[in-house]
Amino acid sequence: QVHLVESGGGLVQPGGSLRLSCAASGSSFSIGTMGWYRQAPGKQRELVATISSGGSTNYADSVKGRFAISRDNAENTVYLQMNSLKPEDTAVYYCNVREIYYSGSWRAYWGQGTQVTVSS
């Protein structure tokens, strides 16, 4: 099955930037839509951004214009460039990846999560 490894989280001051990476390995099939979700303490997990296999992107209103999602299909890696970070962005960020099978069915996988803390 697919194994996801996330990296790039850390502590940053408001207005700073971070770049998250999520590498998918172990798949013998195609990787479809990839995305990032986040969960702050006491709150439900929310979608941050997604990118399809063809490169179409979607963003939560709260991050649009500040974050950019991209992918490297050769490496099965998805990135999240986060600029102009705000304290409200503090959360554990999770990568989500869809593995697509020949039949057209798919299965979703989650990364282990990486902590992003925005604080002065």
Side-chain angles (χ1 to χ4, degrees), residues 104-119:
S105 62
W106 53 270
R107 177 179 176 180
Y109 293 86
W110 290 95
Q112 81 280 7
T114 184
Q115 177 70 48
V116 172
T117 302
V118 184
S119 176

Side-chain angles (χ1 to χ4, degrees), residues 8-20 38 46 48 62-68 80-93 114-120:
L11 174 65
V12 65
Q13 294 185 349
S17 298
L18 285 174
R19 191 190 192 206
L20 306 183
R38 66 186 182 186
E46 65 176 354
V48 177
S62 59
V63 307
K64 193 172 183 63
R66 300 187 297 120
F67 292 8
L80 185 68
Q81 178 66 47
M82 304 185 293
N83 300 320
S84 301
L85 282 162
K86 305 175 181 179
E88 306 92 276
D89 296 317
T90 296
V92 177
Y93 284 69
T114 184
Q115 177 70 48
V116 172
T117 302
V118 184
S119 176
S120 59

Side-chain angles (χ1 to χ4, degrees), residues 2-51:
V2 176
H3 179 60
L4 306 180
V5 178
E6 300 181 25
S7 62
L11 174 65
V12 65
Q13 294 185 349
S17 298
L18 285 174
R19 191 190 192 206
L20 306 183
S21 299
C22 175
S25 63
S27 176
S28 299
F29 305 94
S30 298
I31 299 299
T33 297
M34 309 174 83
W36 291 94
Y37 293 71
R38 66 186 182 186
Q39 187 167 23
K43 299 181 179 179
Q44 68 179 24
R45 188 171 299 184
E46 65 176 354
L47 185 147
V48 177
T50 63
I51 182 167

